Amino acid sequence: MPKIAITFPDGSSKQFDEGVTGLQIAEGISKGLAREALAVEVNGEVWDLNRKIVMDASLKILKWNDDGGKYAFWHSSAHLMAAAIELLFPGTKFGIGPPIETGFYYDIDLGDHTLTGDDLRKIEEKMVELSAKDDPYVREEKTWEDAVLYFKEKKDPYKIELLEELKGQTITFYHSGDFTDLCYGPHLPSTGRIKAIKLLSVAGAYWRGSEKNKMLQRIYGATFPTKQELDQHIFRLEEAKRRDHRKLGQELELFLLTPKVGGGLPLWLPKGTVIREELETFLRTEQKKRGYLSVVTPHIGNIDLYKTSGHYPYYKDSQFTPVKVEDEEYLLKPMNCPHHFQIYASKPRSYRDLPVRLAEFGTCYRYEQSGELNGLVRVRAFTVDDSHMFVRQDQLKEELIGVIDLIKIVFDTLGFSDFKTRLSFRDPKNKEKYGGEDSLWIQAEKDIKEAADEAKLNYFIGIGEAAFYGPKIDFIVRDVLGRNWQLGTVQVDYVMPERFDLEYTGADGQKHRPVVIHRAPFGSLERFIGVLIEHFAAEFPLWLAPVQAAVLSITDQYFDYATQVFEELKKAGIRVELDDRNEKIGYKIRDWELKKVPYMLVVGEKERAANTISVRQHKKGDLGAMGRDTFLAKILDTIQHKSLTL
RNA sequence: GCUGAAGUAGCUCAGCGGUAGAGCAGCGGUUUCGUAAACCGCAGGUCGUGGGUUCAAAUCCCACCUUCAGCUCCA
């Protein structure tokens, strides 16, 4: 039997018979490993455990904690679900069924039948039944023609459509029990590995993601190797719901969304406005240090501005209908740029003046489809912490790095560590979607990449994610439900300066074009605060907390002293409230705990006599008595440093 | 916009053919209390809107509006 050499992740190497499988190798190492193994990585590719290895290879056994292991687990789970569906609903046509970040889904066409919660339960039960049979997942290679024939006989048009793109290639099928699917794998050794199963929801999804296609039914599910892990997962999902910014925003009176005003048009309540203003002040201060100039522009503008900018054709579907005034048409501004360009162009600029950094918290309006609206994270009126920076080509990279630095400071200050950075480039196959000369795009994408490299950003590249006028660096944060939201953004723009004929006079006395950087560290205050609420579970750091402290008197006999403490803190600039309700102290404490107020200051006989306050910290409990000055100095310090902990 | 689900008091929810219910919040009173809910009372709703079926509709049917989940699209 010929031998092959297998190299392990630790660098060690061992000889095996040719045709050995990953599972056999795992068994050779330990029984426990073989039990936990889900898939195997062979020369960087994820393979089935029982696929034969016929060449020298580097190899890693993948378990639950490896992405590749989870991927195989959920991929196999999708097949198991499809198998169950086929048994319960014969004739179902299958779309695609991939693993996703936290589970898997399968898109299916059931004809006229709409799935109910009851159906989901039945499918789930059937899956458990099939898992108990422990059928192996068997890989089979077929010619393209045989594959098409199979699905023609099975009358599965979606699979045939998928095959169209694989013409001429060797096709792989996977069988488990009586179910067969087109699939490049990899899969678990057998269905019995899937022990804990929960189907979560069913929703519509267009075939191949296009609005023009038929809508299929998509079933989302999650599976785990053990019941404990499933329970934990369900607990996490419920925990996440508790952090939902829409729920917390209502409970804590941060903002209001009411159909009486209109969908996606948030009203900021006094407590939410505190957060908003604190964030604005924070950024304004940082920007001042960096030479930004504040400007203010109106909420509407002549439609010609947007025709010049090119927003009008590109954004047509996402703008509100123009308003007519004395034969002129005005648009609710979908962006701030054209206004800022007019400010730049209002006087001649010298190369010595550049960079010019114009900044505004500018409210923009976009007509989003009703189904897109979502709390504060997707609205129709939002305020961009916008700036347009007019720079010379030779200043561009340095300015970009400066902007990235600012965004990092913003994210750091707020404790956002779990974010992704995407370099959003245009899709070269779809050039008509974008404005401007080819050469400008090549230059802009190069500039962005170099700046990102120099700023040591850990990024990935998103093809087709660019704005129509230029490439971007996007900062993306996940919300509690695992949805990704783009917050901060930096964009390089050679197109707009051209369209608006922006100029500066160079040292050579000639006219030159500036480059524009569009940037917004928060992205929009609405979305940012929405994500922030979930990030902190509305337990904000002291500098952002709408109410920083509440003074609670034990009984009404101590109202005078409580008022004294309250006035003193108020005078020092602390956001403090006085609880002089005729209630027991336990009641008041519970109330302020639920409001997530950082500090409760309890005063009664002892405190009045000693001229102190008893400090209780949110979620932490009684910290004991403290001198009034000591407490004030402590919280002023915490606020000033924007400390994340109390 | 599309597919599906849901709309009952400020909030959370029960009622699912026989003349609207609870808890919390609010208001009035009693209580004067030491670290997560004292007690008594009062008030509060054209049951999302409009049509229909019925002797009778929150409840059944239809349309529309809004919200939620997902898809598509985006800061």
Side-chain angles (χ1 to χ4, degrees), chain A residues 31 42 46 84 110 171 236 240 280 308 327 337 377 382 433 471 510 536 540 614:
Chain A
K31 263 202 179 130
V42 178
V46 184
L110 284 163
I171 304 301
R236 268 197 305 272
E280 281 187 24
T308 307
D327 294 334
C337 349
V377 291
F382 56 97
K433 255 181 77 181
Q510 302 291 306
F536 288 124
F540 296 103
S614 279

Side-chain angles (χ1 to χ4, degrees), chain A residues 365-619:
Chain A
Y365 301 86
R366 296 192 194 159
Y367 173 74
E368 303 288 350
Q369 299 184 87
S370 56
E372 315 302 338
L373 301 175
N374 186 317
L376 284 184
V377 291
R378 193 72 184 276
V379 291
R380 285 180 175 157
F382 56 97
T383 303
V384 182
D385 53 328
D386 219 347
S387 171
H388 295 93
M389 318 172 70
F390 305 84
V391 309
R392 304 192 306 259
Q393 180 65 46
D394 63 289
Q395 297 169 322
L396 179 61
K397 202 196 290 177
E398 198 191 325
E399 279 303 306
L400 281 174
I401 292 170
V403 166
I404 294 169
D405 182 58
L406 173 62
I407 295 177
K408 277 181 171 170
I409 286 173
V410 168
F411 277 41
D412 258 10
T413 305
L414 293 159
F416 273 137
S417 47
D418 186 22
F419 65 91
K420 292 187 279 185
T421 314
R422 177 180 66 200
L423 303 193
S424 300
F425 291 164
R426 70 178 169 163
D427 182 357
K429 278 181 270 173
N430 211 346
K431 285 187 185 168
E432 65 280 8
K433 255 181 77 181
Y434 310 93
E437 295 295 315
D438 230 30
S439 57
L440 297 182
W441 274 89
I442 292 164
Q443 181 65 41
E445 289 183 357
K446 185 166 159 274
D447 297 333
I448 278 205
K449 193 164 179 310
E450 282 178 13
D453 284 332
E454 265 181 59
K456 299 201 169 53
L457 275 185
N458 188 10
Y459 57 80
F460 67 99
I461 290 176
I463 298 293
E465 301 284 353
F468 77 84
Y469 51 79
K472 311 187 282 177
I473 304 175
D474 293 318
F475 294 79
I476 299 164
V477 177
R478 272 161 68 95
D479 74 4
V480 289
L481 298 175
R483 297 179 286 210
N484 289 316
W485 296 103
Q486 184 186 318
L487 296 177
T489 179
V490 187
Q491 313 173 0
V492 173
D493 181 2
Y494 287 94
V495 175
M496 295 288 177
E498 195 83 40
R499 291 182 185 237
F500 282 90
D501 198 22
L502 303 181
E503 299 176 332
Y504 67 89
T505 307
D508 55 5
Q510 302 291 306
K511 300 288 185 201
H512 297 273
R513 264 279 174 257
V515 189
V516 169
I517 301 171
H518 308 240
R519 46 102 280 184
F522 296 141
S524 86
L525 283 162
E526 285 72 12
R527 179 175 291 179
F528 194 84
I529 294 172
V531 175
L532 205 59
I533 291 168
E534 300 188 353
H535 175 70
F536 288 124
E539 285 154 8
F540 296 103
L542 203 57
W543 70 282
L544 285 176
V547 178
Q548 293 166 318
V551 184
L552 282 48
S553 68
I554 300 277
T555 71
D556 55 13
Q557 290 165 39
Y558 312 105
F559 281 177
D560 283 351
Y561 183 65
T563 307
Q564 239 185 71
V565 173
F566 165 73
E567 292 292 348
E568 183 176 281
L569 290 171
K570 202 165 79 173
K571 219 165 146 188
I574 305 301
R575 294 187 289 268
V576 60
E577 290 190 15
L578 177 63
D579 190 343
D580 54 5
R581 290 176 297 179
N582 180 7
E583 292 288 354
K584 287 171 78 173
I585 195 67
Y587 177 92
K588 294 186 185 180
I589 285 172
R590 180 181 146 81
D591 205 37
W592 292 99
E593 283 286 349
L594 291 174
K595 287 180 180 164
K596 301 173 191 277
V597 168
Y599 286 108
M600 278 151 272
L601 310 173
V602 178
V603 297
E605 184 56 40
K606 283 183 288 183
E607 289 76 13
R608 184 170 64 182
N611 200 26
T612 57
I613 46 180
S614 279
V615 178
R616 184 192 164 94
Q617 191 179 310
H618 173 58
K619 281 179 100 176

